[in-house]
Amino acid sequence: ADENIINLSSNVDDSKNNYNPTLLTSSSSSSKKNRRKFVSYTSSEWEKDWLEHVTEWTDAKAICDVMMNPASKSFAYMHDFLNATCTSRYEFPYSNWCVIDDEYRP
């Protein structure tokens, strides 16, 4: 069968709440169209926490309160994710700040 088989699994380091997906592909050559098949996926701790509580937080109109509370797990997960995906930083002594350029340029 001609198809790309994709195995997307997470390598989660719970001590740091880092999410590192691994993508494995294999394919065979042929003139037929390539089809991709989803094989497996494991949610990160952040995703599990979000899915478990999002309805409750939505009903209570508390998503912002939860996400901005430094004592919550969600705050730590969000902070670690944003830190891990930061692509540009200020120079020292503000190097712990991420530069986000969200200017609209048509």
Side-chain angles (χ1 to χ4, degrees):
D2 286 336
E3 56 190 34
N4 287 335
I5 299 173
I6 299 173
N7 182 359
L8 183 61
S9 60
S10 67
N11 298 318
V12 178
D13 178 354
D14 286 333
S15 66
K16 295 179 183 176
N17 298 318
N18 289 334
Y19 172 65
N20 299 308
T22 304
L23 180 64
L24 303 173
T25 61
S26 64
S27 62
S28 59
S29 59
S30 176
S31 60
K32 292 183 179 181
K33 289 183 180 179
N34 285 334
R35 295 182 343 240
R36 293 183 175 196
K37 186 180 268 186
F38 194 79
V39 177
S40 68
Y41 178 78
T42 303
S43 292
S44 67
E45 290 303 312
W46 154 244
E47 290 171 306
K48 291 175 190 175
D49 188 56
W50 176 263
L51 293 172
E52 183 178 333
H53 295 100
V54 70
T55 302
E56 168 192 338
W57 297 335
T58 302
D59 292 345
K61 297 185 180 180
I63 291 176
C64 291
D65 295 335
V66 171
M67 298 305 293
M68 298 308 293
N69 179 354
S72 78
K73 287 189 303 184
S74 294
F75 180 87
Y77 292 143
M78 178 181 63
H79 186 270
D80 289 347
F81 171 79
L82 292 173
N83 191 42
T85 58
C86 180
T87 58
S88 182
R89 297 192 179 276
Y90 289 110
E91 292 183 13
F92 183 82
Y94 305 105
S95 54
N96 61 334
W97 284 77
C98 185
V99 179
I100 300 173
D101 180 8
D102 60 359
E103 181 180 347
Y104 174 71
R105 295 179 184 95

